[in-house]
Amino acid sequence: MASPSLSPLQAEVNRLRLELETLQASNASELIEVGNYLLARLEQLKVTNMFGVPGDFNLGFLDLVEDHPSINWVGNCNELNAAYAADGYARVKEHSIGVVLTTFGVGELSAINGIAGAFSEMVPVLHIVGVPSTTQQKAKALLHHTLGDGRHVLFDAYVKAAEHFTISQRIITDKDTAAAQIDRVLTDCMTRARPVYLTLPTNLVFEKISSERLKIPLSHAQPPNDPDVEAFVLDEVVKLVKDAGDGVVVLVDACAVRHDAREEVNALIRKTGYPIYSAPMGKTAVPETYERYGGIYMGSISHPDVKEKVESAKLILSIGSLKSDFNTGNFTYSIPASRTVEFHSDHTKVQHGVFPAIGMKELLPRLTERLEPCSHKSPVPDFSAVVPQEDNEIITHAWLWPRMSKFFQPKDVIVAETGTSNFGLLEVPLPEQAVFLSQILWGSIGWTVGSTLGAAFAARESGLNRTILFIGDGSLQLTVQEMSTMLRHGLTPIIFVLNNAGYTIERCIHGRERKYNDIQNWNWTGLLGVLGDAALEKSRSYTVHTKRELSDLLETKEFAEAGKIQLVEVMMQMHDAPRALAVQVELGAKTNAYSAL
């Protein structure tokens, strides 16, 4: 049987071979343009859509993109939305990356909020920036899109900005090193699961270089664990598990998905039968239909039965945790380190001891091999959705989310905007192989519109089902333009617009009656006509005011089949909010401690 360390070891061998092949490449090798070399690498990574906005310093490269047989140029309404779309694409199309192309200066700075969100939430996105020619760079010419103050901006302001929000930056300055720079930045993007930054000068796009390196695929593999240290860690964890007996629970979080450990987690829980719970950012990391899945743990905000089961466990195997405020119930986790083993992509923490460079991707399968099934399977809470029998027709959050859970189908991609949608969906189960997208850590309102665009492309390519977006009327106004891009490319998401007259999450936090939380109401059902479907051939729009109207629509076969893009305006009360959001806000109010005005 092959050693589990073979893959990372082979990856390192392949990397060294790439460097050797570059040195040995002869004039007889097949030549390829620098721009097409980059596209060939993206094709190998199964990238089939590129997002972005044309600009005068990326137009030459765009000629190659448009002529490429398998990479589609999407073309967005602005760079921020393009970065959001690349983020959503990468989240859904696992084992690939998202790609956004901008021009330098004005374009890349417009995209930077979207790139920062991908960095915060560990999403692999390549940001390609078309930049002036190397001749112009050396001359420090006073070009448009520069700051006009004489600074050599390509190696100062813009790249310095990118350094804060990308894990790796590569500045191509000559054709001889271009292939190695491209390979390095793409490898960093994949293995470290964060955005990277690559400049492409106008005069080098069509320069010819050797194609030899393309014969060796890039690797996603992490560096191998040190065998001796790993063996020690395994012994320690196994001992703790045995001492805990049937008091072991598993808590899975976002990094298990971002760092490609989903299969390893599922193998662990199915062999052992340990109860498993998820943090909010880890929702759908394991199937929520699995009989040993107990629901969402978020500290004090958790349902009491979930809170009791997790916090009373003798040992918690925490996989891929990310302990931000909204992901932990405002830091109210009650799981001390003395009862916890944490598995991460690049280290393992056993109680109070930290073991660097012992990653979960390799460690978890070996741990699974050594563990035995539970001798007594303790019961887990029933994570199900019960639609409440309210004595009125008002669409409330308490009713909406359990009712929506009955509408979802296996393999649906469900996108939740920051605020009421995100908190509401956390508390209902999603069906088998459903994918849940939310931006709990970065929390940029409007992110979901661009993300839905990227997610819909990825869902179509990956054989998934419908793409369904839940967003408030306030958030949608920030990035609404990207619905026109959905129309242009024939995507068919279902978009539920929760019309509650403004920023409900902000009202919950502060300024309940303040005007700054108000917005101008739009004609939501006329929007898709304005954005490109004047004849209403590609879209349908609806407004629902009551429980009955919404239920009737959800039960309509044509609507559920999602054959065209559909927008549903859901009329809701201004101050209504999901239970979890109300509790989160109450906890947050104590730390924000706004003075009375």
Side-chain angles (χ1 to χ4, degrees):
M1 181 177 176
S3 166
S5 295
L6 182 60
S7 177
L9 182 59
Q10 187 62 51
E12 180 62 15
V13 171
N14 286 346
R15 187 189 70 78
L16 294 173
R17 285 179 61 194
L18 283 175
E19 303 306 325
L20 183 60
E21 302 240 353
T22 299
L23 294 172
Q24 294 178 338
S26 67
N27 293 330
S29 357
E30 184 179 348
L31 298 180
I32 188 172
E33 296 90 350
V34 169
N36 273 327
Y37 182 93
L38 173 56
L39 293 174
R41 279 303 195 200
L42 295 179
E43 184 179 24
Q44 289 177 353
L45 297 179
K46 297 182 172 54
V47 173
T48 55
N49 285 282
M50 184 182 297
F51 305 92
V53 178
D56 49 357
F57 295 109
N58 65 29
L59 296 176
F61 179 58
L62 270 174
D63 287 342
L64 298 179
V65 176
E66 186 167 313
D67 294 340
H68 195 277
S70 66
I71 296 180
N72 171 53
W73 171 248
V74 174
N76 297 86
C77 298
N78 60 55
E79 292 88 355
L80 174 61
N81 290 348
Y84 287 162
D87 180 320
Y89 182 88
R91 289 180 192 239
V92 174
K93 194 166 184 181
E94 294 179 25
H95 312 296
S96 187
I97 64 173
V99 182
V100 57
L101 172 68
T102 69
T103 195
F104 95 115
V106 293
E108 62 182 299
L109 295 182
S110 292
I112 207 164
N113 178 47
I115 299 298
F119 184 94
S120 173
E121 303 225 343
M122 291 171 293
V123 181
V125 172
L126 168 66
H127 185 186
I128 307 169
V129 181
V131 299
S133 69
T134 54
T135 302
Q136 289 177 312
Q137 292 181 42
K138 289 176 183 176
K140 298 186 179 180
L142 187 61
L143 302 173
H144 59 289
H145 301 340
T146 63
L147 297 175
D149 62 358
R151 280 184 289 170
H152 193 338
V153 294
L154 291 179
F155 295 96
D156 189 7
Y158 303 160
V159 177
K160 283 184 177 178
E163 287 173 355
H164 293 285
F165 308 110
T166 56
I167 203 72
S168 177
Q169 308 81 37
R170 298 289 158 167
I171 313 303
I172 295 179
T173 56
D174 61 77
K175 69 175 187 177
D176 295 331
T177 61
Q181 297 273 52
I182 290 168
D183 289 353
R184 183 68 263 165
V185 81
L186 289 175
T187 300
D188 289 341
C189 185
M190 293 183 298
T191 58
R192 302 175 74 180
R194 276 199 159 111
V196 295
Y197 176 90
L198 178 71
T199 64
L200 193 56
T202 55
N203 64 315
L204 295 183
V205 172
F206 293 95
E207 285 287 332
K208 297 289 187 71
I209 60 175
S210 170
S211 62
E212 283 296 306
R213 295 174 67 99
L214 293 174
K215 296 177 182 178
I216 302 177
L218 301 177
S219 174
H220 292 72
Q222 298 287 336
N225 292 344
D226 181 285
D228 293 334
V229 178
E230 183 183 73
F232 178 81
V233 170
L234 282 170
D235 288 343
E236 292 297 303
V237 176
V238 170
K239 181 180 182 299
L240 289 172
V241 169
K242 288 181 178 178
D243 290 345
D246 292 322
V248 179
V249 302
V250 179
L251 179 61
V252 66
D253 207 342
C255 297
V257 177
R258 304 290 196 269
H259 293 282
D260 193 26
R262 187 196 296 267
E263 291 183 9
E264 289 77 6
V265 173
N266 279 275
L268 169 68
I269 61 173
R270 291 184 184 278
K271 176 181 176 178
T272 61
Y274 296 149
I276 182 159
Y277 302 86
S278 170
M281 289 180 69
K283 188 174 175 68
T284 68
V286 299
E288 298 192 335
T289 54
Y290 175 51
E291 65 272 16
R292 302 292 289 159
Y293 180 73
I296 302 291
Y297 175 69
M298 40 185 164
S300 295
I301 298 177
S302 311
H303 279 287
D305 49 358
V306 172
K307 185 175 186 296
E308 190 276 329
K309 290 289 186 182
V310 173
E311 295 179 0
S312 66
K314 294 178 182 177
L315 183 68
I316 296 149
L317 302 181
S318 172
I319 304 176
S321 67
L322 205 165
K323 297 177 181 176
S324 68
D325 52 356
F326 278 15
N327 205 36
T328 63
N330 212 53
F331 309 115
T332 58
Y333 268 21
S334 184
I335 46 176
S338 60
R339 291 191 281 121
T340 304
V341 177
E342 293 186 14
F343 301 90
H344 296 276
S345 63
D346 57 359
H347 72 280
T348 300
K349 184 178 180 183
V350 182
Q351 296 176 310
H352 300 284
V354 179
F355 299 88
I358 301 298
M360 61 184 168
K361 179 72 174 175
E362 281 191 74
L363 185 63
L364 287 176
R366 292 172 182 153
L367 177 62
T368 301
E369 288 176 3
R370 294 187 55 179
L371 297 179
E372 300 294 332
C374 286
S375 58
H376 171 69
K377 291 188 177 180
S378 58
V380 297
D382 177 30
F383 187 51
S384 60
V386 177
V387 181
Q389 298 301 310
E390 299 179 338
D391 60 357
N392 59 66
E393 279 295 305
I394 298 170
I395 300 174
T396 63
H397 283 284
W399 178 89
L400 175 65
W401 303 112
R403 178 62 187 89
M404 289 307 314
S405 73
K406 310 301 182 185
F407 174 71
F408 297 141
Q409 300 173 5
K411 294 189 175 183
D412 277 348
V413 177
I414 299 160
V415 190
E417 180 60 57
T418 297
T420 55
S421 299
N422 174 60
F423 280 93
L425 281 165
L426 284 177
E427 300 205 287
V428 298
L430 302 183
E432 190 76 16
Q433 294 183 274
V435 179
F436 180 68
L437 270 63
S438 65
Q439 202 187 50
I440 292 174
L441 177 53
W442 187 243
S444 183
I445 65 171
W447 165 82
T448 54
V449 185
S451 185
T452 295
L453 170 68
F457 272 115
R460 189 163 68 181
E461 296 163 20
S462 305
L464 296 171
N465 198 7
R466 308 170 300 182
T467 300
I468 304 172
L469 166 63
F470 294 91
I471 185 169
D473 52 345
S475 295
L476 183 52
Q477 290 191 1
L478 273 75
T479 50
V480 68
Q481 311 97 315
E482 232 49 53
M483 287 167 55
S484 68
T485 313
M486 299 173 193
L487 283 166
R488 180 156 57 95
H489 289 277
L491 300 173
T492 62
I494 302 174
I495 301 168
F496 290 92
V497 182
L498 310 187
N499 188 340
N500 46 24
Y503 300 118
T504 293
I505 186 172
E506 311 296 359
R507 295 189 202 279
C508 290
I509 294 171
H510 188 74
R512 180 179 172 86
E513 305 294 342
R514 290 288 183 174
K515 293 180 181 179
Y516 51 66
N517 286 322
D518 296 340
I519 63 169
Q520 174 65 45
N521 192 43
W522 286 5
N523 176 14
W524 296 106
T525 55
L527 195 58
L528 289 167
V530 172
L531 293 176
D533 187 27
L536 300 181
E537 296 173 347
K538 300 178 181 179
S539 67
R540 286 289 302 274
S541 296
Y542 313 83
T543 297
V544 293
H545 298 83
T546 66
K547 293 182 173 76
R548 173 49 52 195
E549 288 176 353
L550 179 55
S551 289
D552 287 347
L553 179 62
L554 298 178
E555 291 166 9
T556 304
K557 181 180 179 183
E558 182 182 8
F559 177 80
E561 287 176 345
K564 55 180 64 177
I565 184 171
Q566 298 175 104
L567 182 148
V568 183
E569 179 185 17
V570 183
M571 305 305 296
M572 303 189 72
Q573 295 184 321
M574 180 184 290
H575 294 113
D576 186 30
R579 180 202 70 86
L581 175 57
V583 179
Q584 172 69 51
V585 167
E586 184 179 350
L587 291 171
K590 298 175 182 177
T591 54
N592 283 331
Y594 284 113
S595 300
L597 299 180

